[in-house]
Amino acid sequence: MNAPRPDCAAATAAADPESCSTVCAPPRVVLPYDTPIFLVGMMGAGKTTIGRSLARVLGREFVDLDHELESRCGVRVPVIFEIEGEAGFRKRESAALAQCAARRGIVLATGGGAILSADNRAVLREQGIVVYLRASVDELYRRTCRDRNRPLLATADPRGTLRNLLTQREPLYRDVAHMTIDTGCIPVSTLVKHLLPKLQAYEKQA
């Protein structure tokens, strides 16, 4: 059997950026600064998948804030929600964010609700370059409808919940972001290629 062509991975990624591998990532690019890069956006926007690919291209460490919390607590995010409620989770999230944001040369994927706190938004905007990964409600639902690790979507109407959350959070994402990238049905490699010039241009302000 013939090996898949190099562009097959990109074609597959177009169907679902969340499941794309980074095999189709562009060559490594080193930014002339070590300012941390923070990815914000709704659950399902692709922060983890795109963040990993971006970090690999930049030769940076990738950090997922939810995974950082799970490592510290020893349990999954839904368990933290169940035991401590959303208020308890947000408190832990803010503490973890403050520590992670102080690290240089990283790409950090935040949780979808991290921007709800004014203190968190100040940390993100002042200590790093914030990239808002934007996606439609339909796209977010398609990517999250089978994910059982999303406690906020454990409702009778998850699509409606996503719509309400996006309505509430969209102004906060826009407010904190230095730049915005629409994810949609675009291959991860293409998204990263579009993002790199923006990050390089931002060096003048960093």
Side-chain angles (χ1 to χ4, degrees):
M1 181 179 295
N2 293 332
R5 295 186 304 169
D7 60 346
C8 289
T12 301
D16 189 353
E18 284 281 0
S19 63
C20 176
S21 70
T22 55
V23 66
C24 47
R28 176 164 295 185
V29 174
V30 179
L31 298 176
Y33 55 86
D34 65 353
T35 307
I37 298 168
F38 304 135
L39 304 182
V40 303
M42 286 285 290
M43 62 186 90
K47 298 185 297 294
T48 298
T49 304
I50 294 169
R52 284 199 182 104
S53 181
L54 178 64
R56 181 168 297 169
V57 172
L58 295 177
R60 292 187 171 208
E61 177 187 3
F62 173 71
V63 180
D64 184 292
L65 192 60
D66 281 349
H67 294 171
E68 186 77 12
L69 274 169
E70 291 177 342
S71 177
R72 294 180 181 205
C73 297
V75 295
R76 303 296 298 275
V77 165
V79 177
I80 302 174
F81 263 80
E82 182 180 352
I83 295 174
E84 300 185 354
E86 184 172 359
F89 172 80
R90 296 300 176 198
K91 184 176 180 180
R92 290 183 179 274
E93 181 180 56
S94 293
L97 175 62
Q99 292 184 8
C100 290
R103 297 161 63 179
R104 309 298 293 181
I106 66 169
V107 174
L108 173 69
T110 65
I115 44 75
L116 294 174
S117 162
D119 289 341
N120 287 355
R121 294 196 300 275
V123 166
L124 290 167
R125 189 161 185 86
E126 293 169 9
Q127 297 194 32
I129 300 173
V130 185
V131 181
Y132 171 29
L133 301 181
R134 184 168 56 191
S136 68
V137 170
D138 287 343
E139 192 66 25
L140 295 171
Y141 178 73
R142 185 180 68 81
R143 299 175 191 170
T144 60
C145 62
R146 294 182 179 85
D147 191 340
R148 297 295 177 259
N149 200 38
R150 312 277 188 180
L152 291 179
L153 296 185
T155 67
D157 182 15
R159 186 192 293 270
T161 299
L162 280 170
R163 183 179 300 107
N164 293 336
L165 288 173
L166 183 57
T167 298
Q168 174 193 15
R169 297 174 180 180
E170 172 79 15
L172 302 179
Y173 292 135
R174 291 201 310 265
D175 177 66
V176 76
H178 296 104
M179 58 191 72
T180 299
I181 292 286
D182 288 302
T183 58
C185 293
I186 304 173
V188 170
S189 60
T190 302
L191 289 170
V192 171
K193 287 178 182 178
H194 287 171
L195 181 55
L196 287 172
K198 292 177 178 287
L199 292 172
Q200 291 170 318
Y202 198 81
E203 185 269 338
K204 296 178 181 178
Q205 307 170 41

